[in-house]
Amino acid sequence: MSAKTRELFAADIVAINVGTEFFADSLRKQGVEVEQVEWRPPAGGDKEVARLLELMGM
Amino acid sequence: MAARVKELIEAANKQSMQRILDAQPTWVDVQPAREFIPGFADNLILIAGPTLDPKEAKTPTRNSICGAAVHEGLAKDMAQAWQMVLAGEIIVEPLQGHLSAGGAGYAVSASTPVQVALDPLSGARGCCAFQEGNSPESLRWGMYNAAIEKKLSWLREELGPVLGAAIRGSEGINIRNILARAESMGDENHSRQVAASGLLLQQLIPLVMDVNCAEKTRSEVVKFLCGNERFFLHIFIAGVVAVMEAAKNVEYSTVVVGFGGNGTDFGIKVSGMGDEWFSAPCPSSKGMLLNPEWTEADTSRYFGDSCIVETYGFGGPSAAAGPMVVRLYGGNFDDAMQRTEDYREISLGSHDWAPIPWMGYQGPPVGIDIRKVIATGIAPTIHGGIGHVNGGQAGAGAMIVPMECFVKALKAFGKKYNIG
C-alpha cells in the first residue's frame, strides 16, 4: 500500500453518493459526511431510448 | 455506425443553429391571412398547438374556433359554427405548418390581419395575428361576444391597414435589436415585454404619424398601442416563426423548432422530422390567478403557440433576465437564475447579442436538443398566460413540457434515420 493510500484511509471519509439516496442515508447514520448527487437513468431507464441516445452521441 | 450518425447529427445541428443564431427577424408587413398564407381556403380556421380532432377540443378552443367562424361570416352563430366544424364544412388545422403561430388560443380566419416577419438572411417568413389588448375577455383566451366582435372588426378594418401602411413605409423594424436591449431591462419576453413594447413604440409611432388616414383612426391606433404593454409579443412570435422556418427541415437535426398547445394536447416539432408533431396530453400551468377565489380546477390546460419563443431562447430560457416573472408562481431570483441554467444544460448555443448583465453578461441559452432533454432529464419550463376552463384569461404562470413529447420524437427520429 502506498503512502498516499495509507494517508487516505487515515483521513476522515467524505462519500459521494450517486443516485438512490437510501445509501447516503445509511452512511449519514454512521456519521459519515455524504455529498448526494441527483441522478436518474436517462428516459427513466427505457433501454430502447438509452441505446438510441448512445448511438446518437449522448 | 454510431460514430457516423453522431457526425451527421452534429453537422446538421450546427447548420440549424447557425440559421437560428444568425437570423435577423424583422417586422415588414401586415396583411390579411389569406394574402400571406399560401392556399388559405375560405372555410379554413387555424389554431394553436398540434393537430386536433375537433371533437376533443375543450371549451376555450371551441369558443375561439366558433368565434372566428362567426367573425368571418362562415356561420350565423356559435352553435351553427360548431355543427359546421363537426360536419367538416369548416376545416381546423394548426397554425404552425402554415407559416404562422398564435398567441394563446387565437383562431385565425381568412380575413384576420397578420403581422408578417422576414429573416432577410434566409428569406424565411412567418406571421402572427395582433395581440388584442389587455382584456382577459378576448378571442385569444377562448371567448367571443359582441364586444369582442367589435374589437376584432376594429383590428381588421382600422388597425391592420394603418399599421400595414406604416410598416411598409419603412425599412422594417428589426425584432432582434429590440430583444437585445430588452434582455437587460427586466423582460424575459414571453410573459413580460414592458421594455420591448416601449422600444417598439419608439420606432412605430413616428411611422404611424406619417400614414395617410383619418385623424380619429390615428388617435385610436396610438392610444391602443400605448395602452398595451404586451403588443410586442405577437410581432415577436411572427419573427420566431420566420427563424424556425429557416432552421427546420435540416435532415438529421435534433433541434426543437416548434412548441404549442391546444388545451387538449401539447406538441413539439424537431428540425430533422419535418412538420410532424410529437404530442402528449397537455398539462396545466402553475402560477398566479386573477381571481383569488379561483383554484387550479378553474384553469384550462395550456393552450397557445406563444411558447415557440422558448425555442428561440426567450421566456423560460431568459428567466434570469426577467426574474419578476418567476414571482408569478412564488419563485425567487435564484429560481430564475436556475431556470436559465437548466436550459443551458439542454441547449446547443446562446444568444451572445442579448447579454444578461447579472449572469456574467452571458446571453440566454437557445437551441433545445431533444437528446439533451432526455439525457439530462430536464424538461423545458415554458412561461405564459393561463386560460380559464370556461374561456377568458385566468392568470399567468409556467408549465413543464411533457417528457413524453421528447421521447416520442427521439424514437421516431431513430426509426426515420434507421438508427439502431
Side-chain angles (χ1 to χ4, degrees):
Chain A
M1 189 182 290
S2 70
K4 207 155 183 70
T5 310
R6 278 197 299 278
E7 196 181 306
L8 180 68
F9 277 104
D12 289 338
I13 294 173
V14 179
I16 298 173
N17 186 67
V18 181
T20 313
E21 199 154 4
F22 172 80
F23 298 108
D25 290 339
S26 169
L27 286 170
R28 283 193 192 105
K29 282 176 188 165
Q30 296 173 59
V32 176
E33 189 181 335
V34 185
E35 284 295 325
Q36 174 64 23
V37 177
E38 295 301 333
W39 182 85
R40 288 191 177 88
D46 184 324
K47 286 182 180 171
E48 180 194 349
V49 173
R51 179 169 155 69
L52 269 175
L53 280 178
E54 193 180 344
L55 290 169
M56 290 167 69
M58 285 286 108
Chain B
M1 159 71 179
R4 173 80 179 136
V5 169
K6 185 185 171 190
E7 278 173 23
L8 288 167
I9 290 172
E10 287 182 355
N13 286 349
K14 194 174 171 186
Q15 194 177 342
S16 289
M17 287 304 295
Q18 199 73 44
R19 294 178 187 176
I20 291 171
L21 294 170
D22 289 351
Q24 294 283 345
T26 304
W27 179 26
V28 294
D29 205 351
V30 179
Q31 294 178 339
R34 68 157 70 85
E35 288 178 22
F36 173 69
I37 297 171
F40 204 118
D42 289 342
N43 65 340
L44 179 64
I45 303 284
L46 298 178
I47 62 166
T51 309
L52 175 69
D53 178 348
K55 290 195 288 294
E56 303 295 325
K58 305 295 181 191
T59 301
T61 303
R62 197 165 91 173
N63 288 346
S64 292
I65 294 167
C66 294
V70 175
H71 171 63
E72 193 61 41
L74 298 174
K76 69 179 190 316
D77 56 31
M78 302 280 274
Q80 187 191 28
W82 189 238
Q83 289 309 312
M84 291 175 74
V85 169
L86 294 178
E89 295 163 18
I90 291 174
I91 306 297
V92 178
E93 291 182 3
L95 284 150
Q96 290 182 59
H98 288 277
L99 301 180
S100 52
Y106 206 123
V108 171
S109 55
S111 68
T112 303
V114 293
Q115 299 158 110
V116 177
L118 164 73
D119 169 28
L121 288 184
S122 63
R125 288 173 184 261
C127 77
C128 182
F130 287 127
Q131 209 278 1
E132 295 163 85
N134 297 324
S135 173
E137 297 187 1
S138 59
L139 189 72
R140 80 180 193 285
W141 286 114
M143 289 188 78
Y144 182 74
N145 55 35
I148 293 168
E149 172 54 40
K150 191 176 171 190
K151 172 59 76 68
L152 293 174
S153 295
W154 183 78
L155 295 175
R156 181 172 62 190
E157 312 302 336
E158 307 287 345
L159 186 69
V162 169
L163 292 192
I167 202 75
R168 283 191 297 274
S170 74
E171 295 175 344
I173 293 178
N174 187 307
I175 294 165
R176 177 168 140 156
N177 286 350
I178 291 173
L179 292 166
R181 283 178 283 168
E183 192 77 347
S184 60
M185 295 169 75
D187 286 356
E188 43 70 87
N189 253 309
H190 184 167
S191 290
R192 177 185 162 106
Q193 45 279 120
V194 184
S197 292
L199 292 165
L200 171 73
L201 291 186
Q202 286 183 346
Q203 298 179 69
L204 183 57
I205 296 295
L207 299 175
V208 170
M209 300 312 288
D210 285 343
V211 171
N212 182 17
C213 67
E215 286 309 311
K216 181 173 178 290
T217 302
R218 191 192 324 278
S219 170
E220 288 171 354
V221 167
V222 170
K223 285 174 186 166
F224 171 77
L225 293 173
C226 292
N228 183 356
E229 65 182 31
R230 305 202 66 200
F231 189 72
F232 176 74
L233 176 61
H234 289 213
I235 297 165
F236 178 28
I237 292 170
V240 177
V241 173
V243 174
M244 294 305 153
E245 282 295 317
K248 75 183 202 184
N249 293 323
V250 177
E251 291 286 290
Y252 279 97
S253 172
T254 55
V255 174
V256 174
V257 293
F259 270 170
N262 54 34
T264 301
D265 293 321
F266 190 91
I268 72 169
K269 287 187 170 188
V270 179
S271 176
M273 298 301 293
D275 262 325
E276 190 174 352
W277 284 100
F278 302 99
S279 307
C282 203
S284 302
S285 291
K286 305 279 185 288
M288 187 178 284
L289 303 180
L290 297 172
N291 183 333
E293 292 182 3
W294 287 341
T295 67
E296 196 176 331
D298 295 296
T299 66
S300 70
R301 290 191 262 166
Y302 192 98
F303 58 86
D305 287 334
S306 54
C307 48
I308 196 171
V309 305
E310 262 81 359
T311 68
Y312 188 52
F314 293 85
S318 281
M324 284 307 290
V325 171
V326 179
R327 286 293 292 272
L328 290 172
Y329 52 90
N332 58 28
F333 184 77
D334 290 341
D335 296 324
M337 296 286 276
Q338 186 60 49
R339 177 156 304 163
T340 294
E341 291 297 356
D342 283 347
Y343 265 95
R344 231 177 270 292
E345 294 283 319
I346 59 174
S347 300
L348 291 165
S350 69
H351 285 316
D352 297 335
W353 47 266
I356 305 169
W358 42 96
M359 203 167 224
Y361 293 96
Q362 288 182 92
V366 60
I368 301 164
D369 182 344
I370 58 168
R371 299 173 307 164
K372 288 181 169 237
V373 170
I374 299 167
T376 60
I378 299 171
T381 297
I382 58 175
H383 295 175
I386 301 174
H388 191 279
V389 71
N390 295 324
Q393 184 173 10
M399 185 207 90
I400 299 172
V401 177
M403 186 61 82
E404 187 182 343
C405 299
F406 298 93
V407 171
K408 280 184 178 173
L410 192 88
K411 286 182 175 177
F413 191 99
K415 198 171 176 185
K416 175 177 176 180
Y417 294 106
N418 295 315
I419 301 168

